[in-house]
């Protein structure tokens, strides 16, 4: 189906923002060129009722206030860079510590806060952006492109491509907050994550470098369980996440999906596949109460993020770190498939 476009207001700087609607089979996805934001994702519940399964806003101004990166593309670096500094090629780079003293999700003005160039290639929406050398302190002119495809089977895929003119680091993700009931909390959602270990964090949510086995901990999602089952457990790691999950899961690399989220209430299932090695489970522990689309309420534990990524700790580990060099092509793909029982 052709992509429908509609004006979505303007940024405070006066740039027009456009909403692109991808529709295929039973699923419809609205993407803004502002931040590549997935603004709405509607799938039919078991009873046929349409459910909007992502958090979002009705106005650009609310997105610009940026409390929570709702649905947005994240770059150049997903998650945190401790003390806003990293070593690369024998020198130190200082990046913006927008959540002092650390960088979070790209810096002061990350990819979420730019209006991207949009083009349509048949049924595919392609967003592109040029991040100049030194942007937020990161080296290299980075040309980045994210393609959004929606298959007849209800799968939204995001294909991330990038090139640089200087050696750099790059960790891109999307920050959609999912709630398969379209409201309320996500504690009754059942979640499977194919990970035998997760990265330990300190009180600043900075990885310590240690991977911990999930077995016999609240972090064991190897078999599907309710998100709320162990979330109140007395556990130092959950406490660091403001009593919730805010951790990188080390994907086991076994065949099949990285994660499966299911709502017994609506019968909807989200299946996540990815070429990336890690997945950040964030259960919205720090999401403040506020109004969203159409006056809907959102807040703490009202949705969860499944952010596919390189390990945040890799910024300090040359053996794990995603480095992009001139002449190389960066490509990662993540799929979100929506089905109903
Ligand atoms: C991080 C959280 C952070 C949130 C911001 C998540 O990806 O893991 O620590 O608070 O993004 O919305």
């Amino acid at each position: 189906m052709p992509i429908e476009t509609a004006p979505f207001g303007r940024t405070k700087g006066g740039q027009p923002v456009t909403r692109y609607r991808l529709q295929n089979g039973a699923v419809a996805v609205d993407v803004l060129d502002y931040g590549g934001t997935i603004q709405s994702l509607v799938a039919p519940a078991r009873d046929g009722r349409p459910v909007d399964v992502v958090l979002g806003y009705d106005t650009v101004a609310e997105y610009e206030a940026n409390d929570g990166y709702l649905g947005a593309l994240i770059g150049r670096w997903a998650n945190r860079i401790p003390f806003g500094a990293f070593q690369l090629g024998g020198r130190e780079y200082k990046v913006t510590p927008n959540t002092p003293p650390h960088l979070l999700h790209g810096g002061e003005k990350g990819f979420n806060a730019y209006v991207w160039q949009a083009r349509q290639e048949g049924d595919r929406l392609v967003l592109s952006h040029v991040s100049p050398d030194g942007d937020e302190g990161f080296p290299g002119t980075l040309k980045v492109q994210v393609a959004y495809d929606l298959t007849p089977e209800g799968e939204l895929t995001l294909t991330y491509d990038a090139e640089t003119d200087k050696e750099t680091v790059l960790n891109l993700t999307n920050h959609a907050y999912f709630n398969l009931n379209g409201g309320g909390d996500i504690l009754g959602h059942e979640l499977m994550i194919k990970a035998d270990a997760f990265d330990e964090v300190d009180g600043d949510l900075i990885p310590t470098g240690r991977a911990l086995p999930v077995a016999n901990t609240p972090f064991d999602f190897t078999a599907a369980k309710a998100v709320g089952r162990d979330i109140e457990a007395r556990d130092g790691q959950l406490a660091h996440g403001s009593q919730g999950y805010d951790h990188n899961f080390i994907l086991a690399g076994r065949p099949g999906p990285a994660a499966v989220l299911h709502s017994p209430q609506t019968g909807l299932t989200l299946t996540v596949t990815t070429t990336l090695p890690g997945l950040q489970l964030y259960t919205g522990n720090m999401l403040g109460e506020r109004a969203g689309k159409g006056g809907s309420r959102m807040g703490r534990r009202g949705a969860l993020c499944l952010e596919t990524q390189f390990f945040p700790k890799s910024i300090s580990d040359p053996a794990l770190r995603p480095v992009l060099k001139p002449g190389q092509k960066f490509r990662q793909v993540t799929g979100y498939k929506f089905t109903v029982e």
Side-chain angles (χ1 to χ4, degrees):
M1 257 209 244
I3 298 173
E4 278 174 36
T5 64
F8 195 81
R10 286 176 184 269
T11 64
K12 51 179 181 281
Q15 270 181 292
V17 174
T18 303
R19 190 190 69 192
Y20 296 82
R21 176 162 296 171
L22 285 70
Q23 208 158 352
N24 208 338
V27 176
V29 184
D30 286 344
V31 179
L32 306 180
D33 50 10
Y34 180 82
T37 303
I38 300 173
Q39 191 256 344
S40 150
L41 203 161
V42 175
R46 192 195 281 121
D47 61 6
R49 181 176 61 92
V51 185
D52 186 349
V53 297
V54 295
L55 300 190
Y57 296 116
D58 290 321
T59 66
V60 183
E62 288 164 293
Y63 282 107
E64 285 182 303
N66 182 30
D67 179 8
Y69 303 86
L70 302 195
L73 295 177
I74 306 293
R76 296 187 187 192
W77 191 267
N79 212 271
R80 293 174 175 80
I81 297 184
F83 303 100
F86 63 92
Q87 306 281 334
L88 180 69
R91 63 160 281 197
E92 184 179 65
Y93 288 91
K94 292 217 183 290
V95 289
T96 319
N98 56 312
T99 53
H102 311 300
L103 170 137
L104 176 65
H105 294 330
E108 198 54 47
K109 186 169 182 184
F111 289 177
N112 57 292
Y114 284 90
V115 178
W116 291 51
Q117 291 293 320
R119 64 176 196 274
Q120 300 177 33
E121 291 178 356
D123 293 347
R124 159 178 260 212
L125 174 67
V126 183
L127 300 183
S128 57
H129 176 64
V130 179
S131 168
D133 187 18
D135 192 9
E136 299 290 336
F138 291 96
T141 310
L142 189 80
K143 290 187 181 161
V144 53
Q145 164 175 318
V146 184
Y148 296 70
D149 290 284
L150 183 61
T151 71
E153 294 75 35
E155 182 169 36
L156 174 69
T157 61
L158 268 57
T159 304
Y160 301 87
D161 285 294
E163 285 176 23
T164 183
D165 62 0
K166 271 187 203 160
E167 188 179 34
T168 195
V169 295
L170 188 60
N171 193 5
L172 302 173
T173 194
N174 175 278
H175 210 291
Y177 287 75
F178 297 106
N179 180 325
L180 300 178
N181 298 335
D185 67 49
I186 40 74
L187 298 177
H189 282 43
E190 290 158 7
L191 178 63
M192 186 285 292
I193 304 176
K194 203 174 284 161
D196 303 319
F198 71 104
D199 282 319
E200 183 186 59
V201 293
D202 68 14
D204 272 5
L205 291 168
I206 300 296
T208 63
R210 261 208 322 163
L212 301 178
V214 298
N216 305 311
T217 77
F219 292 79
D220 191 350
F221 287 96
T222 51
K225 70 168 177 185
V227 172
R229 197 180 83 179
D230 300 323
I231 204 167
E232 293 293 357
R234 282 173 66 112
D235 175 281
Q237 285 298 301
L238 288 176
H240 286 335
S242 302
Q243 199 57 42
Y245 299 95
D246 195 355
H247 295 78
N248 177 61
F249 284 73
I250 298 173
L251 296 173
R254 294 189 285 272
V260 179
L261 182 68
H262 174 74
S263 162
Q265 190 180 314
T266 54
L268 278 166
T269 298
L270 161 60
T271 303
V272 180
T273 52
T274 187
T275 54
L276 284 156
L279 180 144
Q280 184 87 8
L281 170 62
Y282 173 54
T283 47
N285 323 307
M286 295 175 279
L287 194 63
E289 289 287 330
R290 89 285 301 273
K293 282 177 280 188
S296 61
R297 297 305 304 172
M298 54 174 131
R300 179 167 157 82
R301 298 178 178 168
L304 59 80
C305 302
L306 300 165
E307 302 155 60
T308 58
Q309 61 186 2
F310 289 101
F311 305 157
K313 69 181 177 189
S314 71
I315 193 71
S316 330
D317 184 345
L320 290 175
R321 186 166 59 186
V323 170
L324 186 66
K325 296 187 172 140
Q328 291 180 336
K329 287 189 190 303
F330 177 98
R331 164 155 298 182
Q332 299 295 337
V333 184
T334 293
Y336 309 91
K337 185 173 183 178
F338 295 86
T339 49
V340 69
E341 66 193 18

